Amino acid sequence: MESSKPIHKISKELGLETNRIILACKTLGIYAKGSSKRLNSEELDKVINYFNSGKNVSNETIEIESKKPE
């Protein structure tokens, strides 16, 4: 049987929020509804490659605070 890890443990190991891992899974076509979903080694490799490749950069949301001149 393949080893698998829950998303919440993967997020701790990668230093990422679980929501980002879940969104990456959705983008990659991996069904992941919550942080307790276990990813097998193949799915885990896909997620790690997704973050290492930089393909996720365009999906990031950046909040910019606009300062009004006084």
Side-chain angles (χ1 to χ4, degrees), residues 46-65:
K46 286 181 183 180
V47 170
I48 291 172
N49 288 335
Y50 175 78
F51 286 106
N52 286 338
S53 68
K55 291 180 182 176
N56 63 325
V57 175
S58 63
N59 295 333
E60 293 294 318
T61 303
I62 301 171
E63 291 184 29
I64 301 174
E65 289 185 30

Side-chain angles (χ1 to χ4, degrees), residues 5-62:
K5 279 187 190 176
I7 289 176
H8 63 89
K9 284 194 178 187
I10 296 166
S11 70
K12 283 185 181 181
E13 290 176 4
L14 297 178
L16 299 168
E17 295 178 8
T18 55
N19 289 340
R20 291 186 65 197
I21 304 284
I22 293 169
L23 287 173
C25 288
K26 183 178 178 182
T27 302
L28 295 168
I30 301 168
Y31 177 76
K33 189 173 180 179
S35 64
S36 61
K37 162 74 173 158
R38 298 179 78 85
L39 300 181
N40 63 34
S41 58
E42 183 180 325
E43 293 168 332
L44 179 58
D45 287 342
K46 286 181 183 180
V47 170
I48 291 172
N49 288 335
Y50 175 78
F51 286 106
N52 286 338
S53 68
K55 291 180 182 176
N56 63 325
V57 175
S58 63
N59 295 333
E60 293 294 318
T61 303
I62 301 171

Side-chain angles (χ1 to χ4, degrees), residues 64-70:
I64 301 174
E65 289 185 30
S66 60
K67 294 185 178 182
K68 296 180 182 178
E70 295 179 16

